[in-house]
Amino acid sequence: MTAKIYGLANCDTCKKARNWLARFEVPHEFVDYREQRIPAESLKAWAKAIGGWEKFVNRASTTWRSLPDARKTPGSDAEWTLLIKEYPALVRRPLVVLDDGTVQQGFTDNGFKKLFGK
């Protein structure tokens, strides 16, 4: 099983996740979503798989807190995807997508051990 890891190259949590994958020799591909923008359809599907936009977006981030209040209440999928395309750092990181369609966000040692059977 190959995993695609979506995140930001300079994100400490993404670095920890990538180091964990390398240490346990888990085949994966890293995609920096600032450099390779994610299609709106993928964002919508992943947000749905995670449990909605509220869980998909990191509301504790500096990026979120710096947004004008008017931008913090998107009312549709189109508004959410536009916001994320404009501010990709809003997505909770890392985002892991497996070949079988499984989608998971965040990194913990135990969470990755369970996800990858290590």
Side-chain angles (χ1 to χ4, degrees), residues 36-48:
Q36 297 176 10
R37 298 301 174 132
I38 307 303
E41 289 307 313
S42 295
L43 291 172
K44 287 184 222 175
W46 296 339
K48 184 177 178 182

Side-chain angles (χ1 to χ4, degrees), residues 8-20:
L8 302 174
N10 61 349
C11 168
D12 288 339
T13 306
C14 291
K15 288 177 187 175
K16 289 176 190 176
R18 293 168 69 190
N19 287 338
W20 188 98

Side-chain angles (χ1 to χ4, degrees), residues 52-108:
W53 292 109
E54 304 294 325
K55 292 182 179 181
F56 192 68
V57 169
N58 182 2
R59 291 174 173 256
S61 71
T62 304
T63 303
W64 179 265
R65 291 191 311 264
S66 68
L67 288 175
D69 287 340
R71 298 294 308 271
K72 293 181 181 179
T73 55
S76 67
D77 285 346
E79 289 178 20
W80 277 107
T81 56
L82 182 63
L83 186 64
I84 291 170
K85 284 185 176 285
E86 191 173 342
Y87 301 98
L90 288 174
V91 176
R92 192 177 309 274
R93 303 178 296 271
L95 179 74
V96 180
V97 180
L98 302 180
D99 291 340
D100 67 2
T102 300
V103 180
Q104 178 177 307
Q105 278 182 301
F107 168 75
T108 63

Side-chain angles (χ1 to χ4, degrees), residues 1 20 24 26 98 109-118:
M1 178 179 329
W20 188 98
F24 285 95
V26 175
L98 302 180
D109 184 63
N110 287 336
F112 267 40
K113 282 180 180 174
K114 184 178 177 182
L115 182 63
F116 295 105
K118 299 289 180 180

